[in-house]
Amino acid sequence: MKLQRKNRLRASALGALVVSSALVLTACGSDDNTKDGGSASGKPSAAAAGDIKCDGAKGKLLASGSSAQKNAVDLWVKAYMAACSGVEVNYKSSSSGEGIVAFNQGTVGFAGSDSALKPEQVEESKKICTGGQGVDLPMVGGPIALGFNVAGVDKLNLDATTIANIFNDKIKKWDDEAIKKLNPGVTLPSTAIQPFHRSEDSGTTENLGKYLKAAAPEAWPYEAAKKWPAPGGQGASGSAGVASQVKAVDGAIGYFELSYASAQNIKTVDLNTGASAPVKAASDTASKAIAAAKIAGTGSDLALKLDYTTKAEGAYPIVLVTYEVVCDKGNKAETLPTVKSFLNYTASDAGQKVLSENGYAPIPAEINAKVREVINSLS
């Protein structure tokens, strides 16, 4: 009887330990995904260990840059490190501008940027990439969602001109005639509009600027740039910071990657593009827009040219593509195997499947095939 009682106690303790461990792991996963205030859906990576080839990867790989891809990178890193023991990939989510600076200072193995390298940045990279230069590898696509928080309003349609006038401090109330015209039958309050933008240099800002400049040039006179150009509004740090402000402030509107809106249940604007119906921000609608992209880079550089003025049915044109910026030649010997191994996974079918499952858009297959070729040629 005593032995049976001991066995029961041991089994109970083991069961409690398993439950406790599961709770700890769940909490850790949550912390990983919400460290910057936003996350993807939290779904595990689609990759099984057999999908990831470690290929001599070892030690620590540092990377930094775009917060737009942060939620995707978190999932990739989790799957990759589970498959490749003894390897640590540390991606610091900051901004595209900071990522490029770190890359050109030689402190990271690759950088994430929501806009392609400028000529002067390429020139600077030659000091770090011995015998080569920095190149852009498109890896993550997705919609830039316009999240809003207006009490009593669950659905909102806007067009490029109206969005430009909101962020350019020309439209100040939610019941403005321009907004009412786009939303017949919707009761709009006289609440003051509180626009939020990124406070630091941001590729997301630059891509929104490219859309507004192309689609509403008269209302948006600014050249696209990483630094926010317009008067008015309030700044917040990172996509997560903008999303948190929109979530908290009645009358707010801001821009960030769709995964941040999904994570915090923030309502998003449907875009009137001139198609037969307004288009929602979604992975599939962004994919339709990105599929029309053309490669504008030369050689190993695969920078893309996007069509921000498309009126194609079901295509959402406020999109960005995040590039992983690497040296085509002259990579550090100690990190090169890990850079190639990790990026080969992110560009694989399994890695790209993670994107469509978590609010991003995969890179079109034809372009992605070229990305894999360049990764394999890195030296």
Side-chain angles (χ1 to χ4, degrees):
M1 291 295 291
K2 286 183 179 180
L3 181 60
Q4 289 177 335
R5 185 169 179 270
K6 284 182 180 179
N7 287 338
R8 284 197 301 271
L9 288 172
R10 186 180 294 117
S12 297
L14 180 60
L17 178 61
V18 169
V19 171
S20 174
S21 299
L23 291 172
V24 169
L25 286 171
T26 302
C28 290
S30 175
D31 286 344
D32 285 343
N33 285 336
T34 59
K35 180 169 56 176
D36 283 352
S39 79
S41 67
K43 295 176 186 175
S45 167
D51 295 322
I52 298 173
K53 295 179 173 59
C54 302
D55 290 335
K58 60 183 179 180
K60 180 183 289 189
L61 172 62
L62 299 179
S64 70
S66 165
S67 65
Q69 67 171 0
K70 185 245 187 228
N71 296 323
V73 174
D74 282 352
L75 294 169
W76 282 335
V77 167
K78 187 175 182 179
Y80 182 79
M81 287 175 57
C84 299
S85 60
V87 181
E88 180 183 349
V89 180
N90 188 329
Y91 182 79
K92 179 185 177 184
S93 169
S94 50
S95 69
S96 298
E98 292 175 61
I100 295 302
V101 168
F103 178 76
N104 279 338
Q105 289 176 342
T107 59
V108 295
F110 70 88
S113 177
D114 305 328
S115 55
L117 292 165
K118 302 286 191 294
E120 61 272 20
Q121 293 171 330
V122 173
E123 195 62 33
E124 189 178 355
S125 73
K126 293 177 181 178
K127 300 173 185 176
I128 297 300
C129 306
T130 308
Q133 65 180 47
V135 294
D136 303 288
L137 303 181
M139 197 67 71
V140 180
I144 300 174
L146 293 162
F148 69 94
N149 178 2
V150 183
V153 179
D154 294 322
K155 184 176 175 58
L156 185 67
N157 298 328
L158 296 176
D159 61 14
T161 299
T162 309
I163 294 165
N165 284 329
I166 287 172
F167 281 102
N168 200 22
D169 207 30
K170 302 294 186 185
I171 294 178
K172 300 177 184 290
K173 300 282 188 180
W174 280 110
D175 62 351
D176 187 276
E177 287 301 319
I179 301 177
K180 289 168 69 174
K181 185 177 179 180
L182 292 165
N183 294 275
V186 177
T187 302
L188 294 161
S190 60
T191 308
I193 296 175
Q194 304 280 352
F196 287 91
H197 58 261
R198 292 282 289 273
S199 58
E200 76 285 9
D201 286 1
S202 159
T204 311
T205 295
E206 185 171 10
N207 280 280
L208 176 64
K210 288 177 180 177
Y211 164 73
L212 293 175
K213 183 67 174 176
E218 292 183 5
W220 194 256
Y222 313 104
E223 292 302 321
K226 289 185 171 68
K227 184 176 180 63
W228 181 255
Q234 302 174 61
S237 179
S239 293
V242 175
S244 294
Q245 291 294 331
V246 171
K247 179 75 172 179
V249 178
D250 184 27
I253 185 170
Y255 58 93
F256 32 79
E257 296 66 45
L258 182 61
S259 61
Y260 291 90
S262 302
Q264 299 193 46
N265 294 314
I266 297 172
K267 295 183 284 289
T268 60
V269 168
D270 291 352
L271 198 61
N272 187 329
T273 65
S276 63
V279 185
K280 294 184 178 297
S283 294
D284 59 340
T285 59
S287 291
K288 286 185 180 179
I290 295 172
K294 306 296 183 185
I295 294 176
T298 57
S300 295
D301 189 272
L302 301 178
L304 302 179
K305 181 176 177 59
L306 299 166
D307 180 7
Y308 294 102
T309 60
T310 180
K311 294 182 173 70
E313 295 296 328
Y316 183 88
I318 314 181
V319 294
L320 59 75
V321 170
T322 297
Y323 301 96
E324 310 313 336
V325 177
V326 295
C327 293
D328 57 354
K329 298 177 183 177
N331 288 277
K332 294 179 180 177
E334 61 270 25
T335 56
L336 177 60
T338 309
V339 168
K340 294 177 71 170
S341 169
F342 180 70
L343 294 183
N344 262 320
Y345 161 53
T346 65
S348 70
D349 290 341
Q352 290 290 295
K353 185 179 179 184
V354 170
L355 300 180
S356 57
E357 291 176 344
N358 290 281
Y360 294 94
I363 300 301
E366 183 179 345
I367 296 171
N368 195 41
K370 295 180 180 180
V371 171
R372 296 177 194 177
E373 288 178 10
V374 174
I375 293 169
N376 288 326
S377 73
L378 299 179
S379 61

